[in-house]
Amino acid sequence: MSHLLTSKLAETLYVSIEGLPIVDYHTHLPADEILNDHSFENIWELWLKHDHYKWRLMRCCGVAENLITGDASPKEKFRAFASILPLAIGNPVHQWAHMELEKIFNITIPLNAETADQIWTQTNRDLDSGLRVNNLLQQFKVKLIATTDDPYDDLASHKAIAAKNHPTKVLPTFRPDEHVLEDSIDLTSLKERHDYFHGMGCQMSDHGLAQIPRPGTPQYEALKAIAKWNHEKGWIMQLHLGPQRQVNTRLSGQTGPDAGFDTIGSKPQAERLIYFLDDLDQSDQLPKIILYNLNPNESASLCAALQNFQQASSKSLVLPDGRPLAGQAKLQYGPAWWHLDHVRGIREQLNILTSMSALGTHIGMLTDSRSFTSYVRHDYYRRILCSFLAEKAETGEMPNDHTLLTQTAQNIAYHNIKTYLSI
């Protein structure tokens, strides 16, 4: 109970949000595995097969690549991960791993070289006995998942999931990066796909950019066009700014993308972002936006920049019955992302939101994950949030008002994103 909860007040606040459902509005989960209620052959497939967080940690502890992404057996790879985990105490991967073992498998002993075989056997026994994708989603009370999808995906799995009336709503997200960062961009075709995604229930586009493209370039005009389409349809535009990708040429060539060789870029973000927001605002076509940044050096300036455009009109800022949407920020400074989704990064982001925005309008956490066990990250975030609020109240920076603090925690954990997405 007390993990990451720093006071009795924090524990009390946590009790009020612990059981709330999860809206995971940005993931890389495969929709076909949800549709088919995928079963996992072993804990390596569930835990390590696609998790570049774990891969990066193994590399920094000197593990050979064949034990990470190479031809070693699943059990050998799991043993290698277990053997280095004690070296990473305090790292979020260490924290998440033990939270997952306890929450999903009721395992409370530490994972290390000595316990690896015992934990391998116990977890695989549970997986063999019927622990599948949908069991995990129900256990974590996942109400909605937004996947990340290429514009030319036929979304067949999404269509089938919707037809089955699945207990977890699964929505596609329009991710056009591969098609808008080239010199030749077919906007007519992309617009047709945008319309198709809309018909399939899509509510968001997503853009992973080293930097907003330079104004006047085809890439900038394509991003601007998509923003206008989003505004027209009431979609949300997610901007993930700052990664420098596949920086290790040799190993990236062996493993392919998304293998743990992307890092924090140093390109400046604020100036081009402000130009982009202002450009759209001048024609009253600025959509709802969630902004994520990877380099903490610009966190304050980016959060501050968003506040200059909150009053821009948008038909997406009304409820389905036409009533105005109160208590919501149109432009959201999204949760600490990727290299920042640890205790320090999350607390810094909450401090910036408190100082430069209205914390009570924040839309909370996401997983950004390819793993169905990553939902402990929401619990991790909720614990940090409750401790943050409690500490601020106990030092007098926030009112020590139990009702207000509870409402704030509940809104950030669940209700704000539910309203923002009009669920």
Side-chain angles (χ1 to χ4, degrees):
M1 171 65 178
S2 62
H3 177 55
L4 295 173
L5 298 172
T6 56
S7 68
K8 291 295 183 183
L9 177 56
E11 292 180 3
T12 300
L13 294 175
Y14 174 70
V15 168
S16 76
I17 66 171
E18 179 183 12
L20 289 175
I22 287 173
V23 174
D24 200 12
Y25 53 98
H26 176 68
T27 82
H28 296 274
L29 294 172
D32 61 321
E33 292 190 2
I34 301 172
L35 171 64
N36 299 320
D37 194 17
H38 182 74
S39 61
F40 301 93
E41 185 174 342
N42 51 51
I43 187 65
W44 169 80
E45 183 189 357
L46 177 66
W47 245 25
L48 285 158
K49 186 176 181 180
H50 302 293
D51 194 337
H52 58 77
Y53 282 88
K54 293 185 177 74
W55 298 349
R56 286 178 64 89
L57 188 62
M58 293 169 76
R59 291 184 187 115
C60 82
C61 293
V63 175
E65 193 65 28
N66 76 300
L67 289 166
I68 303 171
T69 63
D71 58 4
S73 71
K75 189 171 185 178
E76 289 173 322
K77 292 176 179 178
F78 179 77
R79 282 173 167 166
F81 174 66
S83 71
I84 62 92
L85 205 53
L87 301 175
I89 53 173
N91 184 285
V93 173
H94 185 282
Q95 295 165 328
W96 297 336
H98 288 93
M99 291 174 73
E100 290 171 21
L101 287 173
E102 181 173 0
K103 176 72 173 177
I104 299 166
F105 300 102
N106 198 31
I107 293 173
T108 56
I109 60 173
L111 177 59
N112 53 44
E114 288 70 36
T115 63
D117 285 359
Q118 175 187 346
I119 290 175
W120 171 268
T121 300
Q122 182 174 339
T123 55
N124 291 344
R125 186 189 311 121
D126 288 351
L127 292 171
D128 289 340
S129 66
L131 182 59
R132 304 163 72 100
V133 162
N134 289 327
N135 299 128
L136 291 168
L137 296 180
Q138 291 168 27
Q139 181 177 349
F140 285 108
K141 300 181 180 179
V142 183
K143 185 180 182 72
L144 180 142
I145 288 170
T147 59
T148 302
D149 307 277
D150 186 274
Y152 294 92
D153 193 304
D154 64 9
L155 303 181
S157 293
H158 289 83
K159 186 174 183 179
I161 291 169
K164 291 176 68 173
N165 196 26
H166 196 279
T168 299
K169 191 175 185 66
V170 183
L171 297 180
T173 299
F174 187 83
R175 177 74 175 247
D177 294 0
E178 183 179 341
H179 309 283
V180 301
L181 297 179
E182 303 296 330
D183 289 332
S184 178
I185 303 167
D186 187 348
L187 281 179
T188 300
S189 177
L190 279 175
K191 178 62 166 63
E192 291 173 355
R193 300 306 302 170
H194 196 276
D195 293 340
Y196 177 78
F197 269 58
H198 189 66
M200 294 295 293
C202 182
Q203 297 186 36
M204 292 182 284
S205 68
D206 181 54
H207 311 266
L209 304 169
Q211 192 179 34
I212 295 287
R214 181 167 51 84
T217 61
Q219 294 78 19
Y220 178 87
E221 294 303 321
L223 189 68
K224 182 178 173 181
I226 294 168
K228 291 180 177 181
W229 304 339
N230 287 2
H231 178 268
E232 179 185 356
K233 292 183 173 73
W235 282 20
I236 296 160
M237 188 172 211
Q238 297 184 88
L239 297 173
H240 286 84
L241 301 182
Q244 187 171 344
R245 298 192 182 277
Q246 296 176 247
V247 297
N248 186 320
T249 304
R250 178 180 60 85
L251 283 177
S252 292
Q254 295 177 22
T255 63
D258 303 318
F261 299 111
D262 300 341
T263 195
I264 299 172
S266 60
K267 291 183 178 180
Q269 304 294 338
E271 184 176 358
R272 287 193 185 176
L273 174 70
I274 290 168
Y275 184 95
F276 181 66
L277 299 177
D278 190 53
D279 194 7
L280 290 162
D281 180 63
Q282 289 185 55
S283 60
D284 194 20
Q285 292 176 295
L286 182 63
K288 290 198 290 188
I289 286 176
I290 306 173
L291 173 71
Y292 315 83
N293 68 293
L294 198 54
N295 192 327
N297 291 334
E298 284 196 275
S299 296
S301 62
L302 292 172
C303 181
L306 295 179
Q307 312 319 315
N308 297 286
F309 300 93
Q310 296 288 17
Q311 286 298 315
S313 64
S314 172
K315 61 185 179 183
S316 60
L317 285 179
V318 296
L319 295 169
D321 63 5
R323 289 180 293 126
L325 189 59
Q328 283 277 306
K330 175 181 175 176
L331 307 186
Q332 289 280 344
Y333 181 46
W337 165 53
W338 197 356
H339 290 287
L340 301 176
D341 56 2
H342 41 67
V343 174
R344 178 173 58 84
I346 291 170
R347 292 180 69 91
E348 286 179 357
Q349 197 245 10
L350 291 171
N351 266 312
I352 290 169
L353 278 166
T354 302
S355 302
M356 297 188 170
S357 182
L359 179 64
T361 69
H362 184 46
I363 54 174
M365 191 55 170
L366 46 73
T367 63
D368 186 32
S369 175
R370 292 166 175 80
S371 170
F372 288 95
T373 65
S374 292
Y375 286 102
V376 299
R377 295 182 192 176
H378 283 260
D379 186 48
Y380 181 79
Y381 178 87
R382 290 173 180 185
R383 290 170 180 269
I384 296 167
L385 171 66
C386 290
S387 291
F388 175 84
L389 292 173
E391 290 166 22
K392 295 294 185 182
E394 289 167 345
T395 59
E397 291 185 58
M398 293 181 183
N400 201 340
D401 179 330
H402 183 268
T403 300
L404 176 59
L405 294 171
T406 298
Q407 289 175 344
T408 300
Q410 291 176 345
N411 287 341
I412 294 172
Y414 173 63
H415 295 295
N416 286 346
I417 184 59
K418 180 173 177 287
T419 304
Y420 195 66
L421 282 170
S422 301
I423 300 172

